[in-house]
Amino acid sequence: MVRTQRRLALLALAGSALALSACGGDSGSSAVTVPADADVVINSVSGIQWEKKEYAVTADGSPVLIATQNLSNEPHNLHVRGGDGVEVGTPLDTPEKNDIDRGEFDLAVGQYTVFCSVVGHGNMKATLTVN
């Protein structure tokens, strides 16, 4: 009887491990990661804010690749606005925790404001300086 209960317990444990690995587990094989070729990575963090207040990137005449990852439990997006008040490029969207989005932005040398337009996230502003 005890031997049968142990076998059932081991089978249940093995089945649970198999189910967890099928759901993503820690294998990392299907995990989405921030692109290594990003010129700048701008992360949203808890407290409805960007990870930093200032970011910098060097322009080489080609579009700037911006990546963003949502490290908080709130939905976020990332807009880039020039000093003239005009938005540049297509906003990036990270509605769920750990979501990653990336995009290329045609940015001339200067300062830009990076912001989130989700209602209530008005304090999510950072400066992006392009040298």
Side-chain angles (χ1 to χ4, degrees), residues 93 104 122:
D93 192 32
E104 291 185 342

Side-chain angles (χ1 to χ4, degrees), residues 12-14 25-26 33 41 57 72 74 81-82 85 102 126-127:
L13 184 60
D26 285 330
T33 59
V41 178
V57 65
S72 76
E74 300 282 332
R81 181 174 41 221
R102 61 183 267 168
T127 301

Side-chain angles (χ1 to χ4, degrees), residues 38-56:
D39 295 309
V40 63
V41 178
I42 302 173
N43 294 322
S44 54
V45 295
S46 296
I48 307 178
Q49 60 188 355
W50 298 116
E51 190 172 39
K52 301 176 187 176
K53 294 289 183 190
E54 296 183 15
Y55 297 87

Side-chain angles (χ1 to χ4, degrees), residues 40-44 49-52 55 64-70 75-81 87-95 101-105 107 112-118 121 124-126 128:
V40 63
V41 178
I42 302 173
N43 294 322
S44 54
Q49 60 188 355
W50 298 116
E51 190 172 39
K52 301 176 187 176
Y55 297 87
V64 174
L65 178 59
I66 298 175
T68 184
Q69 182 173 14
N70 185 348
H76 297 289
N77 56 46
L78 183 147
H79 296 255
V80 178
R81 181 174 41 221
E87 268 194 56
V88 180
T90 302
L92 304 178
D93 192 32
T94 54
D101 199 3
R102 61 183 267 168
E104 291 185 342
F105 294 79
L107 303 177
Y112 297 83
T113 299
V114 175
F115 67 97
C116 177
S117 68
V118 172
H121 294 201
M124 284 187 75
K125 293 182 181 166
L128 173 61

Side-chain angles (χ1 to χ4, degrees), residues 11-27:
L11 286 172
L13 184 60
S16 295
L18 182 61
L20 283 174
S21 67
C23 290
D26 285 330
S27 68

